[in-house]
Amino acid sequence: MTAKTFNDTFLKACRGEATEHVPVWYMRQAGRYQPEYRAIRAKHSFFEMNYIPEVCAEVTRLPVDQLGVDAAILFADIMTPLKPIGVDVNIESGIGPVIANPIESLKDVERLLELDPETHVPYILESIKILRQQLSVPLIGFAGAPFTLASYMIEGGPSKHYHKTKAFMYTEPAAWQALMEKLGDMTITYLKAQIKAGAQAVQVFDSWVGALNDEDYREYITPVMTRIFNALKDTGVPMIYFGIGAGHLLMDWNRLPVDVVGLDWRTSITTAREMGVTKTLQGNLDPTLLLAPWEKLEAKAKEILDEGTKQPGFIFNLGHGVFPDAKVETLQQLTKFIHSYKRDV
Ligand code: 1CP
């Protein structure tokens, strides 16, 4: 086997450097839209796919080989480190994470264990080591952010309005504070271990934090996010922060010590820049457009590329994850289009 030259376009873009082509990867690039994924998933539960490093590595590599993307993201879930610290979580097909022992009080928070990656998630560290031997693109490690993790832990599963979570935040301030501290520590420990094992960038998913208004974000969330990103800064590894429906929080995010801000599809790149966001941007094609006629998808992708490449360092992605009904061929065609894009001067 001849070793391919390492494609570091994604890492350069994270650092705000100019790149020869626009790097692209897709959130949920490994998943049910791939026949190969479905075949492997038919044989294993979700967490089994995590626990067997060879399977985890195989699934992580699938989209890299199949689509030609510029980065791999470790195949795991934001719930993965919660299971060993005492959260009774299962990933159910067609639903997502379901938790049998939701948090209701300070006592429930106090019984959560401290994460010890070497003993609790050795399979994640092993998968990263295997992947670093195999990949010729950077490997992204990731974690869920405290608010988003807390939303599952308190609601007991996916939610629409997060009202149990927000009610807990407003009515149990000491328990909320303790929960943010524990999840903040866990996130730092987990991401540091992933980086030590070989992750070359990290993305923190705060998918549901847009449910908070900006004042509440500043009061309840900014301290823990600042602590997390400051604790990871010394690693020198690029840090990406992503959330959905969080356009009103973008200037708060711009003040955090992150390298890259991940945009969902609601806020255009131009709007983010006009608001004053100066960080490298990643995003932000509406994943539903993967189901639209190619001409429509291509026109929107071009618009995003035109806006994103106005300053050096832009990473193309979707505004949220690939849906199970997307087609592999569409993502292949889109990836080719992005790689062949040249800015009109
Ligand atoms: O390819 C990849 O992107 C890597 C793997 C990955 C990542 C980064 C998975 C696999 N999940 C995640 C992150 C994740 N998990 C997030 C943040 C990103 C996002 O907003 O989508 C969230 C909120 C979850 C929670 C979760 N896990 C959901 C969403 C439920 C809801 O509230 O709507 C779901 C459906 C899961 C299960 C899951 N995780 C990953 C996959 C491929 C799946 C489907 C599992 C299956 O095969 O049954």
Side-chain angles (χ1 to χ4, degrees):
M1 200 173 77
T2 47
K4 279 195 241 161
T5 47
F6 186 74
N7 167 4
D8 65 350
T9 328
F10 164 77
L11 293 175
K12 281 188 173 154
C14 286
R15 296 191 293 258
E17 293 168 19
T19 54
E20 270 173 36
H21 66 262
V22 173
V24 52
W25 68 279
Y26 305 108
M27 288 184 281
R28 290 283 167 90
Q29 60 188 17
R32 287 186 173 271
Y33 77 98
Q34 296 167 302
E36 297 82 357
Y37 175 92
R38 292 196 297 270
I40 298 169
R41 178 73 163 91
K43 288 189 253 163
H44 303 282
S45 73
F46 183 87
F47 284 119
E48 260 170 35
M49 291 166 70
N50 273 198
Y51 298 154
I52 311 168
E54 289 71 25
V55 175
C56 174
E58 184 185 353
V59 177
T60 303
R61 283 195 323 270
L62 268 180
V64 179
D65 299 340
Q66 199 166 52
L67 308 177
V69 286
D70 299 275
I73 183 159
L74 181 72
F75 186 80
D77 194 72
I78 59 169
M79 296 293 135
T80 301
L82 291 182
K83 218 172 158 66
I85 67 159
V87 179
D88 186 0
V89 54
N90 259 310
I91 304 273
E92 295 189 10
S93 275
I95 303 176
V98 175
I99 286 160
N101 57 346
I103 295 229
E104 290 171 354
S105 66
L106 180 60
K107 269 209 156 42
D108 295 334
V109 177
E110 281 168 348
R111 69 174 158 72
L112 296 171
L113 305 177
E114 207 175 297
L115 182 77
D116 176 12
E118 306 285 336
T119 52
H120 288 145
V121 285
Y123 45 87
I124 290 292
L125 309 181
E126 182 58 26
S127 301
I128 293 175
K129 287 177 193 156
I130 293 177
L131 279 160
R132 280 299 307 275
Q133 305 272 317
Q134 298 173 335
L135 288 169
S136 51
V137 294
L139 176 64
I140 306 171
F142 74 93
F147 179 88
T148 294
L149 295 176
S151 80
Y152 288 101
M153 294 164 80
I154 296 168
E155 308 280 341
S159 165
K160 247 200 168 124
H161 304 294
Y162 311 96
H163 59 261
K164 274 192 196 169
T165 310
K166 288 163 72 175
F168 190 81
M169 183 178 91
Y170 294 130
T171 56
E172 302 272 359
W176 178 264
Q177 173 81 8
L179 183 57
M180 290 300 102
E181 266 170 33
K182 280 208 164 179
L183 293 176
D185 289 346
M186 185 193 80
T187 306
I188 293 166
T189 309
Y190 186 44
L191 288 176
K192 274 193 174 165
Q194 291 184 45
I195 292 166
K196 192 167 160 229
Q200 290 149 296
V202 290
Q203 175 151 324
V204 178
F205 287 95
D206 213 347
S207 302
W208 315 131
V209 82
L212 296 182
N213 66 42
D214 49 1
E215 274 179 23
D216 285 347
Y217 183 84
R218 277 169 216 149
E219 179 175 348
Y220 296 101
I221 305 300
T222 299
V224 70
M225 295 316 300
T226 306
R227 187 161 74 84
I228 291 171
F229 292 124
N230 272 333
L232 295 168
K233 226 176 163 34
D234 284 352
T235 64
V237 157
M239 298 181 281
I240 311 169
Y241 187 35
F242 167 78
I244 297 157
H248 58 297
L249 304 176
L250 286 178
M251 282 316 286
D252 288 276
W253 289 15
N254 199 53
R255 284 188 284 271
L256 291 171
V258 292
D259 302 282
V260 182
V261 167
L263 290 179
D264 85 347
W265 66 95
R266 293 177 181 87
T267 310
S268 76
I269 288 157
T270 302
T271 305
R273 292 287 181 227
E274 281 168 3
M275 284 167 73
V277 176
T278 51
K279 306 269 182 185
T280 295
L281 292 175
Q282 172 178 281
N284 71 344
L285 185 83
D286 186 337
T288 316
L289 277 166
L290 295 174
L291 311 174
W294 171 253
E295 294 66 37
K296 208 164 175 63
L297 166 54
E298 185 188 62
K300 188 66 195 177
K302 181 171 185 311
E303 191 185 309
I304 290 170
L305 288 161
D306 286 342
E307 292 181 31
T309 55
K310 278 190 183 151
Q311 70 180 55
F314 172 65
I315 303 154
F316 194 100
N317 205 317
L318 303 174
H320 198 186
V322 180
F323 291 120
D325 49 357
K327 289 207 167 56
V328 171
E329 297 73 36
T330 313
L331 283 158
Q332 283 171 330
Q333 196 174 356
L334 178 60
T335 311
K336 273 206 188 102
F337 177 73
I338 294 154
H339 281 162
S340 63
Y341 171 83
K342 291 273 174 280
R343 217 187 137 69
D344 299 329
V345 261

